[in-house]
Amino acid sequence: AGGGRMIDRLRKWYYNAAGFNKLGLMRDDTLHEDDDVKEALKRLPEHIYNERVFRIKRALDLSAKHQILPKDQWVKYEEDHRYLEPYLKEVIRERQEREAWNKK
């Protein structure tokens, strides 16, 4: 159990060291937009997509001003959820099925 706590502390430290949370971004907001990610974004419910766009626009504005959010507005490790992951897994699975079918 002690090793698990240490790993969790390391993950939290790395999450904060990355810095994107200080701009109000979540992990999935920072993914490189390859074809799979672009397709997954199209499948997001509108309100989740709009929240993502807001976070990214706010982060761009803060970055341009060389500012960060007040600490109480940073995205916390425990509050960051992988909102895009289920859609992305589905897109990747479908692509792999298509590729396997096309090889036949």
Side-chain angles (χ1 to χ4, degrees):
R5 283 194 304 259
M6 182 62 173
I7 297 285
D8 199 42
R9 279 193 297 226
L10 185 60
R11 285 183 180 144
K12 287 179 184 180
W13 174 85
Y14 184 77
Y15 181 85
N16 285 314
F20 58 83
N21 65 320
K22 297 171 186 171
L23 298 172
L25 294 172
M26 300 175 107
R27 277 180 289 207
D28 283 357
D29 297 336
T30 65
L31 292 175
H32 173 71
E33 289 191 22
D34 61 13
D35 291 338
D36 290 338
V37 172
K38 287 178 184 176
E39 180 58 34
L41 288 170
K42 290 178 188 175
R43 298 180 185 194
L44 282 176
E46 186 177 1
H47 73 282
I48 295 175
Y49 180 79
N50 289 340
E51 290 169 359
R52 171 190 166 88
V53 169
F54 171 79
R55 288 190 302 270
I56 292 171
K57 284 183 177 182
R58 178 179 56 185
L60 288 170
D61 183 54
L62 287 166
S63 182
K65 295 175 180 177
H66 301 284
Q67 296 176 345
I68 60 172
L69 290 170
K71 191 167 186 167
D72 65 330
Q73 294 180 33
W74 293 2
V75 177
K76 294 170 187 60
Y77 176 80
E78 299 80 13
E79 296 170 352
D80 192 332
H81 61 282
R82 305 300 295 258
Y83 66 88
L84 193 60
E85 187 173 22
Y87 301 94
L88 187 56
K89 283 182 178 180
E90 181 179 301
V91 168
I92 291 169
R93 182 185 51 75
E94 290 172 2
R95 178 180 46 79
Q96 289 171 338
E97 284 178 7
R98 241 184 344 270
E99 290 170 352
W101 180 261
N102 290 336
K103 285 183 182 178
K104 290 183 180 182

